């Protein structure tokens, strides 16, 4: 090999090495770090032990990514701003699943005996108005973080009493309409958990994700975070 050829190859190798070194920090900076906010849809470890919870299942889906569980079992919309305060600087994406416990706080209306249809619709309308006010306030705080954000709808759960299931699904639909309208109004991606978790085996304790349900939720989150589309999307 001539001296000129050796010098050329040596220079090329040096350039490639320098380029790789310069890319390494950028690649590290791009590594996805997801914070999960909300309630036991994400913080479901106590319901599935010794099986895997949602954060663990999501970590398996995110190649090289990290997952921070800030959601808390029993969490409500008013708790999410407090969870946001615990964000560390490395977080790159937010995923929120909240509102189910707020709905359960009003579940008594499902068992109430209405005098007529107007009474029933009036009671539901009151609940929806209160829910929307709280959801808009919560999401406004979250968006101040300036991070890509994905929100989840409330799923229907799986109740033994099928008549109660039908009434619950109707009420949840009204609340999920709020989530869709508010989230898509901010051009956010929405994961429709009603479509993701739609089998009895997806649930434990009627309203908590089983390991199977958790795996489906983790897959939906991974799809939502990996999407290239701009603007509002629905994932399910």
């Amino acid at each position: 090999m001539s001296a000129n050829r050796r010098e050329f190859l040596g220079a090329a190798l040096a350039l490639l090495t320098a380029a790789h070194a310069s890319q390494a920090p950028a690649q590290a900076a791009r590594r996805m770090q997801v914070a999960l906010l909300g309630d036991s849809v994400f913080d479901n470890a106590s319901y599935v032990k010794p099986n895997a919870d949602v954060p663990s299942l999501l970590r398996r889906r995110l190649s090289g990514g990290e997952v921070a569980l800030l959601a808390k079992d029993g969490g409500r919309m008013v708790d999410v701003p407090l969870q946001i305060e615990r964000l560390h600087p490395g977080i790159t994406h937010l995923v929120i699943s909240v509102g189910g416990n707020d709905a359960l706080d009003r579940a008594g209306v499902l068992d109430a005996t209405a005098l007529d249809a107007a009474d029933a619709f009036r009671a539901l309308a009151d609940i929806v108005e209160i829910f929307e006010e709280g959801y808009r306030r919560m999401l406004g705080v979250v968006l101040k973080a300036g991070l890509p954000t994905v929100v989840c709808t409330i799923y229907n759960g799986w109740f033994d009493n099928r008549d109660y299931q039908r009434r619950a699904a109707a009420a949840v639909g009204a609340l999920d309409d709020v989530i869709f309208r508010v989230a898509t109004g901010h051009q956010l991606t929405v994961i429709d958990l009603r479509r993701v978790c739609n089998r009895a085996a997806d649930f434990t304790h009627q309203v908590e994700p089983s390991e199977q349900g958790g795996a489906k939720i983790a897959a939906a989150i991974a799809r939502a975070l990996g999407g290239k589309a701009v603007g509002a999307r629905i994932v399910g």
Side-chain angles (χ1 to χ4, degrees):
M1 183 182 296
S2 67
N4 288 341
R5 183 173 176 79
R6 284 197 298 272
E7 289 175 2
F8 173 78
L9 291 176
L13 180 60
L15 286 172
L16 289 172
T17 301
H20 178 74
S22 66
Q23 289 175 357
Q27 289 172 346
R30 288 196 297 269
R31 185 174 61 187
M32 188 175 292
Q33 298 188 51
V34 182
L36 301 179
L37 308 170
D39 55 31
S40 60
V41 171
F42 297 150
D43 184 25
N44 70 323
S46 63
Y47 301 102
V48 295
K49 287 181 179 179
N51 297 320
D53 60 3
V54 171
S56 300
L57 293 164
L58 181 57
R59 290 185 187 100
R60 298 174 190 175
R61 289 273 179 176
L62 301 180
S63 178
E66 298 181 6
V67 178
L69 176 63
L70 302 182
K72 189 71 174 176
D73 184 8
R76 289 165 172 75
M77 291 186 289
V78 295
D79 298 314
V80 173
L82 300 177
Q83 296 171 7
I84 282 286
E85 293 179 1
R86 296 165 50 207
L87 287 179
H88 64 73
I91 294 296
T92 61
H93 295 74
L94 304 176
V95 185
I96 309 168
S97 180
V98 74
N101 290 316
D102 297 86
L104 287 174
D105 287 343
R106 302 279 180 163
V109 72
L110 296 176
D111 295 317
T113 301
L115 295 177
D116 55 30
D119 287 339
F121 281 114
R122 189 176 297 110
L124 181 58
D126 290 342
I127 292 171
V128 169
E129 287 180 4
I130 294 170
F131 184 90
E132 180 166 351
E133 181 181 347
Y135 200 88
R136 287 187 181 279
R137 187 183 306 113
M138 177 276 298
L139 193 57
V141 174
V142 170
L143 294 179
K144 288 180 181 178
L147 295 172
T149 301
V150 174
V151 305
C152 300
T153 65
I154 304 168
Y155 49 42
N156 293 325
W158 200 274
F159 298 94
D160 295 333
N161 184 323
R162 302 315 293 168
D163 180 60
Y164 185 88
Q165 179 78 53
R166 291 174 63 244
R167 285 178 280 140
V172 165
L175 300 181
D176 280 343
D177 177 65
V178 169
I179 294 175
F180 275 117
R181 287 189 290 104
V182 175
T184 56
H186 288 285
Q187 295 294 293
L188 303 180
T189 294
V190 180
I191 298 175
D192 189 354
L193 291 185
R194 292 171 300 178
R195 295 165 59 184
V196 174
C197 295
N198 55 10
R199 298 286 185 271
D202 296 335
F203 298 94
T204 180
H205 298 76
Q206 300 187 114
V207 293
E208 309 296 345
S210 64
E211 184 178 31
Q212 174 178 300
K216 294 168 74 172
I217 292 171
I221 293 174
R223 289 196 301 273
L225 295 175
K228 302 300 182 183
V230 176
R233 294 189 303 137
I234 298 173
V235 177

